[in-house]
Every structure is written in C-alpha cells, then in structure tokens.
Amino acid sequence: MDQITTNPIVIGIDAGGTMTDTILVDQDGHFKIGKSATTPKDEAEGFLASAEDAADAWGISLQELFSGVNVVLYSGTGMLNTLLSRTGRKLGLITTKGLEDMILMGRGLQAWADYSYADRLHAVTHHHPVPLVPRRRTHGVTERIDQFGDVILPLYDHDVHAAARKLIADKVEAICIMTVFSHVNPAHEKRIAEICREEIAAAGADILVYTSHEVRPVIREQSRLNSVLIEAYATSRGRKQLKGIEDVSKKYGFKYGVQTLLSFGGLTSINHPRLHETMISGPIGGILGAAYVGKLIGNDSLICSDMGGTSFDMGVITRGQTRIENEPLMDRFKLNVPTLHLDTIGAGAGMILKVDPLTKKVSLGPESAGSDPGPICFAKGGTEPTIADCDAILGRLNPHYFLGGKVVLQVEKARKAFEEKCARLLGVGVEEAAEGMIEMLEADANNALRRVISGQGIHPSEFTLLSYGGSGPLHLAGCSRGVGFKDIITFQFAAAFSAFGCTTADFMRRHSVSTQIDIGARASDDELVAFGRKVTAVWNDLTRAAVDEMIADGHSRDKIRTAPFLMMRYTGQLEDVEVMAPLSVLQSADDMRKVIDEFEAVYAKVNHRVSRYGEAGFSITELGLVATADKVKPVLLKRPLGKSDPASAHKGVREAYVGGRWHKANLYEMDLLQPGHEVTGPAIIEHPATTLVVHPQDRVHVDEWTLLHYTHA
C-alpha cells in the first residue's frame, strides 16, 4: 500500500448490532479502517475501541487522531434499539377529539408488518404493536381544521388546560400534540403547545412538548402521529448516546461537534431537532458508498448487499435512481420519514441455529448472538451455535487472525457444542451439518436478492452486485451464485464499507411539505403559470428554513447549495416518484412543462418507458428542498494493472471444508493484493476485519481501483 504521510481529517463510524467499524480519511483521500465489538449499553466504549484500532493501523495515538480531525461522523442503531426494547420516555398525547383511539387502531399495513408467512395465514397469532402511549394518557380536545386549512371548530382552551393538567399529574416526560390537517394550518397545534407550556411552568415540572407540524408537516395523520411519538419517545436515549460520543471525542482533543447520518443520505449535527430522521443511519451509508463506487466503475445499476452479524440489508440503484421511501416501517410503525429504500432479512453470521429434536426441523434465527455474548467461538459466554461457529469449524475463519488476532477463536469449543445441539440431532457429520447451515443462510440471501431484482423491471445482467459488511465476503459465493449479475464486487474495506459510505456524504438538510396540486393533461398556459407560482412560493419558504438551520450549525451562506424537488405521480396512482427540479423558479408555462418532462423521464427510468400515462394528468403531492454543504471525501486511488501472479500476497495453506469435502486452500493477505492480481479457488483471502472465501474453480481479480471482482466458474 502507498505510504501515508498526512494525518486523517475525517473519522467515520458505523455501529452495527454486532461490530462497530471505523474509517479514517486524510486530505488526499487515503483511508484506514478499525473494528471492535459494539457496546449497546454505552456506545462510546465501542466507538473509542474501534477508533483506537483504526489509529493503530494509521500509526498514531488517539490524542493525535482526535486533535487533528475536522469531522467525526457517527451512524448507529441506538435509537432504533430504544424503540425495539421499549425503553424510551413516558409519553402523553393530545389530539383532535374523536381520534383518541388512533394509536390503538393503527394501520392495517403496519399491524401485519414483519409477520412470517405462517403468522399471516393464522390470524390467531396476530396482535397490534405495543402502543407508545396507552389510551389513558391520550386526551382529545375539541377543535377542527379542514383539508383547506379553514377553521371549522375553534379550539376549546379549557379542554387543553384540563388535558395538560392530567398529563402533568401522570408524571409524563413528554407531551405530544397531533391534530387533523395541522400540516396545512398549524394554528391549533401551536396554541395547544402554548397552553401546555403554561401549565408545565405553573406546576414547576420538567416536561418537553412536541408538535407534529414541527416534526413532519406532511399528509397522512397516522404516519405523522407515529413520527412525533417516536421523536419524543426514542431520541432522548439516542441523544444521550451521541452526547457521550461527542464528550469522549472532545476528551481526546476534538474541537468541533459530532455529526450523524440522515436516513435520506446526508450529514447533520447530533443536535438536529428531528433526530428520528437518523434512526436507521448505519445501512444508509452503504447505499451512499455504492453510488460513489458506481461512478468509478461506470455502472449506474447496482445492488448493494450488507451482511453483518444480525441482518442482510439490500439497497437498489436502478439506472442512477435511488428510491426514496416516504413511509418506511420501523418496528411495525409507519413513519413519515424520507428514507433511502432498504430491504432487510434476518440473515447474518451471528444467527442462532436451532434443531427441533422431534421433527429435525432446522431454524436459523431470528435471534442473533450479537456482540455480547456473541458466537460460542468468541468464548464470551455464548452457548448457542451460530453461523460464525460453522465458518470457524469448517476452517473458513482463521482462529488466530480474527480482528487481527485480538480475538482467538475457540474452534473446538464451538465444534463440541454444534455437534451436541445440531449435528447429532440431525444424524449427520459435523462438517456436513455445518456446511448445510451455511448453505441455508446463503440460499435465503440469494432468494432475497432475486426478489429485489425482480421488482426493478430490468434484467439481472444489467446489475453489479456490491457485497460488503463483515460477513459479506465470507458468504459472497453462495449468496450470488446463479443470479446472473453483470459483475460482482467486494472490497478490502468491506467490513467498514457503510462507514466509508458515510464519509462520502455531504452536510445536508431536507425540508418538505404536503401539497395537492393536480395538473390536467391539457392544462392551459395560464393554469401552468399559476401552478408554477404556487410551487415556487413553497420552495422559497423551505429554502429559508433549511438555510437558516445550516447557518445555525456553522456553515457559511456562500458554501450552502440548495436543490428543490417534487414528489409526483400520474393522477390516480398510489405511489410517488421523487423528481429533482430542473429549475428552482418556475415563471412560465414552459418552465412547468420542463418539470413534467423531468418527471416522465425519471418515471421511465424507474419503471418502463411504455408505462408512462400522461393522459391521466399529473399530481404533485409533496414539495421539498435539499440544502447541502461540502466536506472532504475519501478517494480510491487508481493504479496501473500489474502481473496476475499473487505470490507476493500468499501466506500459506489451510484446510478448509467447501463443497462437501476438505481442500488445501491457499491463503492470501487481502491488503497485499495489488491491481492485476488473480486468485483461483479454493482460496481464502484474509483481512483483520473480514474474510473472502473463494470456492473451487471460482476466480477473484483485482482491478485498477483495488476492487475485488468475483467470477463464478
């Protein structure tokens, strides 16, 4: 590798369910990675250990690292875990009278979300998500605003005073306010919040107040309600974790504020007022990194696959378009949070394996051993066999090189437990059973990739598969076999690829508001001009709000760029398409036609050209604006291709069980592979943070960007 002479200026961290990955980047784009076990109780511990591992790789101390960097950006799952474990704030809710049971009723889609096929068949097993606010702490107040923003019933102040006093007496920690059509006219929500703060002050209480029009001023009351509830419920612990990370960074000399990743792909301060927008920040980094790599390799149709210890996350970029999901599901709650679309299944190296002694049925998960206690081979107290134990038993993992040797894998301990709890019950040998378990995991991932591709409307041969995550390269061969990808790529820094992706992001704010602008297929020029003025007025308001927030975060006005967008559909459709506006000011009928043409072009990319249907007219359901400011990014260095013989990276031979028998597999050090090198299986390419298993007769070649291309025999 090239000698690095400058110190890093960016630290990127991705805290997953099992491991915390760090990437350091310098001014020239050089980078190094570090890895450590995630510490869910105090994420700052895992953060510091992972950063120290990366600093060691760079050859500097923690003090030198933190005192010299300009950006520390952290993505993780702390807030999502708060929601999953139901350990958030005690909430109260004030809503429009008549809607008090909205939480209990929920939406049909979210009530059945995440259920297995068997549970969807048998409704007796069905139950609604546990409400974040019980019915007794939900109070309706008399008021009504209609869809046009007109006041139909005035707000009854005495109802609000009574509700606020009851919630204060119930010792709630936060009061949430959501009234019908407040995204059109927030006057009543503002007045309710004002009264609540008066009552809180009079009682000398310490209670926060959240309003839905401030958190997410868009249509769909149930999703808007969920958004404000989760902002109030889950972000307090998340803020505490992020503050701990910032404190530890400053202890070692960091001079600025820690940043985190937004679910729609951008960086923001940990003091962001809508912190629930960062709840699934980790996997999003992978999609950003994939888009960056796609530009290098010249392919804009990519499947991103991230396999760690717990899950297998998949993202899709189709002909340069990344799908934005406006109502993602989080723990069976529909939220109004724009999110880069991800498909996820429970499939990772930490999946716990179970065999029913009576039926001999094999189950993978859904539980994961996580980082504590972890797989049996970690010798940290785990007692249930996992996929990682199978990988160790079959010689695919180097017991003396896991995390660079910091963890010595106890293979015999894992073998004995697996034989007792799995192989013996199945009546087969240990190796056969272990490989069978791995093949089940890889078949699940393979089928999931096929499902994701089938929904895109283009052939798999147009897609390049990017495989990353700590377990991605380990199971790449089985996950990708037979699909027919144009190319299959993994990385020397696969374990920290999501953290790498985070560092490719710019600082960002995204503001949006619901609209209902219906444009007829044969709208006149005057009508189009009127529509354009209405759209431009909204964009101007959103620009002011987004720019003000970024200036408050310390960005200078001349460095901030703004880009308006629209959520559009053909009239009568159920799904929107996000369209970046070709113009920021719409003055003429032709300007409006350019917007419509852009929508149709994007629609044709995402779907098929023949599916366009302009005769139905067009509907603009949401207007938004993205404000960004640049930051330094990593640079993948392009080097000339050399000889194909990888002898300089060869480091020995190890017995590995692949394809039903033991092989003498050649071992290679991943970081020593150079552009032009080719490796033919059976082989194992090792890195302190990940392992790439090359099956017999398969090949891996290294390109000029030092990306690893996998080819099936």
Coordinates of all heavy atoms in Angstrom, one line a residue, residues 587-653:
Q587 N -41.4 30.3 -13.7 CA -42.1 31.6 -14.1 C -43.1 31.4 -15.3 O -44.1 32.1 -15.3 CB -41.0 32.6 -14.4 CG -40.2 33.0 -13.2 CD -39.1 34.0 -13.7 OE1 -38.5 33.9 -14.7 NE2 -38.9 35.0 -12.8
S588 N -42.8 30.5 -16.2 CA -43.6 30.4 -17.4 C -44.2 29.0 -17.5 O -43.9 28.1 -16.8 CB -42.7 30.7 -18.6 OG -41.7 29.6 -18.7
A589 N -45.1 28.9 -18.5 CA -45.7 27.6 -18.8 C -44.7 26.6 -19.2 O -44.7 25.4 -18.8 CB -46.8 27.8 -19.8
D590 N -43.7 27.0 -20.0 CA -42.6 26.1 -20.4 C -41.8 25.6 -19.3 O -41.3 24.5 -19.3 CB -41.7 26.9 -21.5 CG -42.4 26.9 -22.8 OD1 -43.4 26.2 -23.1 OD2 -41.9 27.7 -23.7
D591 N -41.6 26.5 -18.2 CA -40.9 26.0 -17.1 C -41.6 24.9 -16.4 O -41.0 23.9 -16.0 CB -40.7 27.2 -16.0 CG -39.7 28.2 -16.5 OD1 -39.0 28.0 -17.5 OD2 -39.7 29.4 -15.9
M592 N -42.9 25.0 -16.3 CA -43.7 23.9 -15.7 C -43.7 22.7 -16.6 O -43.6 21.5 -16.0 CB -45.1 24.4 -15.5 CG -45.9 23.6 -14.5 SD -45.3 23.8 -12.8 CE -45.7 22.2 -12.1
R593 N -43.7 22.8 -17.9 CA -43.6 21.7 -18.7 C -42.2 20.9 -18.6 O -42.2 19.7 -18.7 CB -43.8 22.1 -20.2 CG -45.2 22.5 -20.5 CD -45.5 22.7 -22.0 NE -46.8 23.3 -22.3 CZ -47.0 24.6 -22.5 NH1 -46.0 25.4 -22.5 NH2 -48.3 25.0 -22.7
K594 N -41.2 21.7 -18.3 CA -39.9 21.1 -18.1 C -39.9 20.2 -16.9 O -39.3 19.1 -16.8 CB -38.8 22.2 -17.9 CG -38.4 22.8 -19.2 CD -37.4 23.9 -19.0 CE -37.1 24.7 -20.3 NZ -36.2 25.8 -20.1
V595 N -40.6 20.6 -15.8 CA -40.8 19.8 -14.6 C -41.5 18.5 -14.9 O -41.1 17.4 -14.5 CB -41.5 20.6 -13.5 CG1 -41.9 19.7 -12.4 CG2 -40.7 21.7 -13.0
I596 N -42.6 18.6 -15.7 CA -43.4 17.5 -16.1 C -42.6 16.5 -16.9 O -42.6 15.3 -16.7 CB -44.7 17.9 -16.8 CG1 -45.6 18.6 -15.9 CG2 -45.4 16.7 -17.4 CD1 -46.8 19.3 -16.5
D597 N -41.8 17.1 -17.9 CA -40.9 16.2 -18.7 C -39.9 15.5 -17.9 O -39.6 14.3 -18.1 CB -40.2 17.1 -19.8 CG -41.1 17.6 -20.8 OD1 -42.3 17.0 -21.0 OD2 -40.7 18.5 -21.6
E598 N -39.4 16.2 -16.8 CA -38.4 15.5 -16.0 C -39.0 14.4 -15.2 O -38.4 13.3 -15.0 CB -37.8 16.6 -15.0 CG -36.7 16.1 -14.1 CD -35.4 15.7 -14.8 OE1 -35.3 16.2 -16.0 OE2 -34.6 15.0 -14.2
F599 N -40.2 14.6 -14.7 CA -41.0 13.5 -14.0 C -41.1 12.3 -14.9 O -40.9 11.2 -14.5 CB -42.3 14.0 -13.5 CG -43.3 12.9 -13.3 CD1 -43.1 12.1 -12.1 CD2 -44.4 12.7 -14.1 CE1 -44.0 11.1 -11.9 CE2 -45.3 11.6 -13.9 CZ -45.1 10.8 -12.8
E600 N -41.5 12.6 -16.2 CA -41.8 11.4 -17.1 C -40.4 10.7 -17.4 O -40.4 9.5 -17.5 CB -42.4 11.9 -18.4 CG -43.8 12.4 -18.1 CD -44.8 12.2 -19.3 OE1 -44.6 13.0 -20.3 OE2 -45.6 11.3 -19.2
A601 N -39.3 11.4 -17.4 CA -38.0 10.8 -17.7 C -37.6 9.9 -16.5 O -37.2 8.8 -16.7 CB -37.0 11.9 -18.0
V602 N -37.8 10.5 -15.3 CA -37.5 9.7 -14.1 C -38.4 8.5 -14.0 O -38.0 7.4 -13.7 CB -37.6 10.6 -12.8 CG1 -37.5 9.7 -11.6 CG2 -36.5 11.7 -12.9
Y603 N -39.7 8.7 -14.3 CA -40.6 7.6 -14.2 C -40.3 6.4 -15.1 O -40.3 5.2 -14.8 CB -42.0 8.1 -14.5 CG -43.2 7.1 -14.2 CD1 -43.8 7.1 -13.0 CD2 -43.5 6.2 -15.2 CE1 -44.8 6.2 -12.7 CE2 -44.6 5.3 -14.9 CZ -45.2 5.3 -13.7 OH -46.2 4.4 -13.4
A604 N -39.8 6.8 -16.3 CA -39.4 5.8 -17.3 C -38.1 5.0 -16.9 O -38.0 3.9 -17.2 CB -39.1 6.5 -18.7
K605 N -37.2 5.7 -16.1 CA -36.0 5.0 -15.6 C -36.4 4.0 -14.6 O -35.9 2.9 -14.5 CB -35.0 6.0 -15.1 CG -34.3 6.8 -16.1 CD -33.3 7.7 -15.4 CE -32.5 8.6 -16.4 NZ -31.6 9.5 -15.7
V606 N -37.2 4.4 -13.6 CA -37.6 3.6 -12.5 C -38.5 2.4 -13.0 O -38.4 1.3 -12.5 CB -38.3 4.4 -11.4 CG1 -38.8 3.5 -10.3 CG2 -37.4 5.5 -10.9
N607 N -39.4 2.7 -13.9 CA -40.3 1.7 -14.4 C -39.9 1.3 -15.8 O -38.8 1.0 -16.1 CB -41.7 2.1 -14.3 CG -42.1 2.5 -12.9 OD1 -42.3 1.6 -12.1 ND2 -42.2 3.8 -12.5
H608 N -40.8 1.4 -16.8 CA -40.5 1.2 -18.2 C -41.1 2.4 -18.9 O -42.1 3.0 -18.5 CB -41.2 -0.1 -18.7 CG -40.3 -1.3 -18.6 ND1 -39.1 -1.4 -19.3 CD2 -40.4 -2.4 -17.9 CE1 -38.5 -2.5 -19.0 NE2 -39.3 -3.2 -18.2
R609 N -40.5 2.7 -20.1 CA -41.0 3.9 -20.8 C -42.4 3.7 -21.2 O -43.2 4.7 -21.2 CB -40.1 4.1 -22.1 CG -40.3 5.4 -22.8 CD -39.4 5.5 -24.0 NE -39.9 4.7 -25.0 CZ -40.9 4.9 -25.9 NH1 -41.6 6.1 -25.7 NH2 -41.3 4.1 -26.8
V610 N -42.8 2.5 -21.6 CA -44.2 2.2 -22.0 C -45.2 2.4 -20.9 O -46.4 2.4 -21.2 CB -44.3 0.8 -22.7 CG1 -43.5 0.8 -24.0 CG2 -43.9 -0.3 -21.7
S611 N -44.8 2.5 -19.7 CA -45.7 2.6 -18.6 C -46.1 4.0 -18.3 O -46.9 4.3 -17.4 CB -45.1 1.9 -17.3 OG -44.0 2.7 -16.9
R612 N -45.5 4.9 -19.0 CA -45.9 6.3 -18.8 C -47.4 6.6 -19.3 O -47.8 6.0 -20.2 CB -45.0 7.3 -19.6 CG -43.6 7.2 -19.1 CD -42.7 8.3 -19.7 NE -42.7 8.3 -21.1 CZ -41.8 9.0 -21.9 NH1 -41.0 9.9 -21.3 NH2 -41.8 9.0 -23.2
Y613 N -48.1 7.5 -18.6 CA -49.5 7.6 -18.9 C -49.9 9.1 -18.6 O -50.6 9.4 -17.7 CB -50.4 6.7 -18.1 CG -51.8 6.6 -18.5 CD1 -52.1 6.4 -19.9 CD2 -52.9 6.9 -17.6 CE1 -53.4 6.4 -20.3 CE2 -54.2 6.8 -18.1 CZ -54.5 6.6 -19.4 OH -55.8 6.6 -19.8
G614 N -49.4 10.0 -19.4 CA -49.6 11.4 -19.3 C -51.1 11.8 -19.5 O -51.5 12.9 -19.0
E615 N -51.9 11.0 -20.2 CA -53.3 11.3 -20.4 C -54.1 11.4 -19.1 O -55.1 12.0 -19.0 CB -53.9 10.2 -21.3 CG -53.4 10.2 -22.7 CD -53.8 11.6 -23.4 OE1 -55.0 11.9 -23.4 OE2 -52.9 12.2 -23.9
A616 N -53.5 10.7 -18.0 CA -54.2 10.8 -16.7 C -54.0 12.1 -16.0 O -54.7 12.4 -15.0 CB -53.7 9.6 -15.8
G617 N -53.1 12.9 -16.5 CA -52.7 14.1 -15.7 C -51.7 13.8 -14.7 O -51.2 12.7 -14.6
F618 N -51.3 14.9 -13.9 CA -50.2 14.8 -13.0 C -50.6 15.3 -11.7 O -51.3 16.3 -11.6 CB -48.9 15.5 -13.5 CG -48.6 15.2 -15.0 CD1 -49.2 15.9 -16.0 CD2 -47.7 14.1 -15.2 CE1 -48.9 15.5 -17.3 CE2 -47.4 13.8 -16.6 CZ -48.0 14.5 -17.6
S619 N -50.1 14.7 -10.6 CA -50.4 15.2 -9.2 C -49.1 15.4 -8.5 O -48.2 14.6 -8.5 CB -51.2 14.2 -8.4 OG -52.5 14.1 -9.0
I620 N -48.9 16.6 -7.9 CA -47.8 16.9 -7.1 C -48.3 16.8 -5.6 O -49.1 17.6 -5.2 CB -47.2 18.3 -7.3 CG1 -46.8 18.5 -8.8 CG2 -46.0 18.6 -6.4 CD1 -46.4 19.9 -9.2
T621 N -47.8 15.8 -4.9 CA -48.3 15.5 -3.5 C -47.4 16.1 -2.4 O -47.8 16.1 -1.3 CB -48.4 14.0 -3.3 OG1 -47.2 13.4 -3.5 CG2 -49.4 13.4 -4.3
E622 N -46.1 16.5 -2.8 CA -45.2 17.0 -1.8 C -44.2 17.8 -2.5 O -43.7 17.5 -3.6 CB -44.5 15.8 -1.1 CG -43.8 16.2 0.2 CD -43.3 15.0 0.9 OE1 -44.1 14.0 1.1 OE2 -42.2 15.0 1.3
L623 N -43.8 19.0 -1.9 CA -42.7 19.8 -2.4 C -41.6 19.8 -1.3 O -41.9 19.9 -0.1 CB -43.2 21.2 -2.6 CG -44.2 21.4 -3.8 CD1 -44.9 22.7 -3.8 CD2 -43.5 21.1 -5.1
G624 N -40.4 19.8 -1.8 CA -39.3 19.8 -0.8 C -38.1 20.5 -1.3 O -38.0 20.9 -2.5
L625 N -37.1 20.5 -0.4 CA -35.8 21.2 -0.8 C -34.7 20.5 0.0 O -34.9 20.2 1.2 CB -35.9 22.7 -0.4 CG -34.6 23.4 -0.8 CD1 -34.9 24.5 -1.8 CD2 -34.0 24.0 0.5
V626 N -33.6 20.3 -0.7 CA -32.4 19.7 -0.1 C -31.3 20.8 -0.1 O -31.0 21.4 -1.1 CB -31.9 18.5 -0.8 CG1 -30.6 18.0 -0.2 CG2 -32.9 17.4 -0.8
A627 N -30.8 21.1 1.1 CA -29.7 22.0 1.2 C -28.4 21.3 1.6 O -28.5 20.4 2.5 CB -30.0 23.1 2.3
T628 N -27.3 21.5 0.9 CA -26.1 20.7 1.2 C -24.9 21.7 1.3 O -24.9 22.8 0.8 CB -25.8 19.7 0.1 OG1 -25.7 20.4 -1.2 CG2 -26.9 18.7 0.0
A629 N -23.9 21.2 2.0 CA -22.6 21.9 2.1 C -21.5 20.8 2.0 O -21.6 19.7 2.6 CB -22.4 22.7 3.4
D630 N -20.4 21.0 1.3 CA -19.4 20.0 1.0 C -18.6 19.7 2.2 O -18.4 20.5 3.2 CB -18.4 20.5 -0.1 CG -19.0 20.4 -1.5 OD1 -19.9 19.6 -1.6 OD2 -18.6 21.2 -2.3
K631 N -18.0 18.5 2.2 CA -16.9 18.1 3.1 C -15.9 17.2 2.4 O -16.3 16.7 1.3 CB -17.5 17.4 4.4 CG -18.3 16.1 4.1 CD -18.4 15.3 5.3 CE -17.3 14.2 5.4 NZ -17.3 13.3 4.2
V632 N -14.8 17.0 3.0 CA -13.8 16.2 2.3 C -14.3 14.7 2.3 O -15.0 14.3 3.1 CB -12.4 16.2 3.1 CG1 -12.6 15.6 4.5 CG2 -11.3 15.6 2.3
K633 N -13.9 14.0 1.2 CA -14.3 12.7 1.0 C -13.1 11.8 0.7 O -12.1 12.2 0.2 CB -15.3 12.6 -0.2 CG -16.5 13.5 -0.1 CD -17.4 13.4 -1.3 CE -18.6 14.3 -1.2 NZ -18.3 15.7 -1.0
P634 N -13.3 10.4 1.0 CA -12.2 9.5 0.6 C -12.0 9.4 -0.9 O -13.0 9.6 -1.6 CB -12.6 8.2 1.2 CG -14.1 8.3 1.3 CD -14.4 9.8 1.5
V635 N -10.9 9.1 -1.3 CA -10.6 8.9 -2.8 C -10.0 7.5 -3.0 O -9.0 7.2 -2.3 CB -9.6 10.0 -3.3 CG1 -9.3 9.7 -4.7 CG2 -10.2 11.4 -3.1
L636 N -10.6 6.7 -3.8 CA -10.0 5.5 -4.2 C -8.9 5.7 -5.3 O -9.2 6.3 -6.3 CB -11.0 4.5 -4.7 CG -12.1 4.1 -3.7 CD1 -13.1 3.1 -4.4 CD2 -11.5 3.4 -2.5
L637 N -7.7 5.3 -5.0 CA -6.6 5.6 -5.9 C -6.6 4.6 -7.1 O -6.8 3.4 -6.9 CB -5.3 5.5 -5.2 CG -5.1 6.4 -4.0 CD1 -3.7 6.2 -3.3 CD2 -5.2 7.9 -4.4
K638 N -6.4 5.2 -8.3 CA -6.3 4.4 -9.5 C -4.9 4.1 -9.8 O -4.1 5.0 -9.9 CB -7.0 5.1 -10.7 CG -7.1 4.2 -11.9 CD -7.9 5.0 -13.0 CE -8.1 4.1 -14.2 NZ -8.8 4.8 -15.3
R639 N -4.5 2.8 -9.9 CA -3.1 2.4 -10.2 C -3.1 1.5 -11.4 O -4.0 0.8 -11.7 CB -2.5 1.7 -8.9 CG -2.4 2.6 -7.7 CD -1.8 2.0 -6.5 NE -2.6 0.9 -6.0 CZ -2.2 0.0 -5.2 NH1 -0.9 0.0 -4.8 NH2 -3.0 -1.0 -4.7
P640 N -2.0 1.4 -12.1 CA -1.9 0.6 -13.3 C -1.9 -0.9 -12.9 O -1.5 -1.3 -11.8 CB -0.5 1.0 -13.9 CG 0.3 1.6 -12.7 CD -0.7 2.2 -11.9
L641 N -2.5 -1.7 -13.8 CA -2.6 -3.1 -13.6 C -1.2 -3.8 -13.7 O -0.4 -3.4 -14.6 CB -3.5 -3.8 -14.6 CG -5.0 -3.4 -14.5 CD1 -5.8 -4.0 -15.6 CD2 -5.6 -3.8 -13.1
G642 N -0.8 -4.6 -12.8 CA 0.5 -5.3 -12.8 C 0.3 -6.8 -13.2 O -0.7 -7.2 -13.8
K643 N 1.2 -7.6 -12.8 CA 1.2 -9.0 -13.1 C 0.1 -9.7 -12.4 O -0.4 -9.3 -11.3 CB 2.5 -9.7 -12.8 CG 2.9 -9.6 -11.3 CD 4.3 -10.1 -11.0 CE 4.7 -10.0 -9.5 NZ 6.0 -10.5 -9.2
S644 N -0.4 -10.9 -12.9 CA -1.5 -11.6 -12.4 C -1.1 -12.5 -11.2 O -2.0 -12.9 -10.4 CB -2.2 -12.4 -13.5 OG -1.3 -13.3 -14.0
D645 N 0.1 -12.9 -11.1 CA 0.6 -13.8 -10.1 C 0.5 -13.1 -8.7 O 1.2 -12.2 -8.5 CB 2.0 -14.3 -10.4 CG 2.5 -15.3 -9.3 OD1 1.6 -15.7 -8.5 OD2 3.6 -15.7 -9.4
P646 N -0.3 -13.7 -7.8 CA -0.5 -13.0 -6.4 C 0.5 -13.5 -5.4 O 0.2 -13.5 -4.2 CB -1.9 -13.4 -6.1 CG -2.1 -14.7 -6.7 CD -1.3 -14.8 -7.9
A647 N 1.6 -14.1 -5.8 CA 2.6 -14.7 -4.9 C 3.0 -13.8 -3.8 O 3.2 -14.2 -2.6 CB 3.8 -15.2 -5.7
S648 N 3.1 -12.5 -4.1 CA 3.5 -11.5 -3.0 C 2.6 -11.4 -1.9 O 2.9 -10.9 -0.8 CB 3.8 -10.1 -3.7 OG 2.6 -9.7 -4.3
A649 N 1.3 -11.8 -2.1 CA 0.3 -11.7 -1.0 C 0.0 -13.1 -0.4 O -0.7 -13.2 0.5 CB -1.0 -11.2 -1.6
H650 N 0.7 -14.2 -0.9 CA 0.5 -15.5 -0.4 C 1.1 -15.7 0.9 O 2.2 -15.3 1.2 CB 1.1 -16.5 -1.4 CG 0.6 -18.0 -1.2 ND1 1.4 -18.8 -0.4 CD2 -0.5 -18.7 -1.5 CE1 0.8 -20.0 -0.3 NE2 -0.3 -19.9 -1.0
K651 N 0.4 -16.4 1.8 CA 0.9 -16.5 3.2 C 0.7 -17.9 3.7 O 0.8 -18.1 5.0 CB 0.3 -15.5 4.1 CG -1.2 -15.5 4.3 CD -1.6 -14.4 5.3 CE -3.0 -14.6 5.8 NZ -3.4 -13.6 6.8
G652 N 0.5 -18.9 2.9 CA 0.4 -20.3 3.4 C -0.8 -21.0 2.8 O -1.5 -20.6 1.9
V653 N -1.1 -22.2 3.5 CA -2.2 -23.1 3.1 C -2.9 -23.5 4.4 O -2.3 -23.7 5.4 CB -1.6 -24.3 2.4 CG1 -2.7 -25.3 2.0 CG2 -0.9 -23.9 1.1

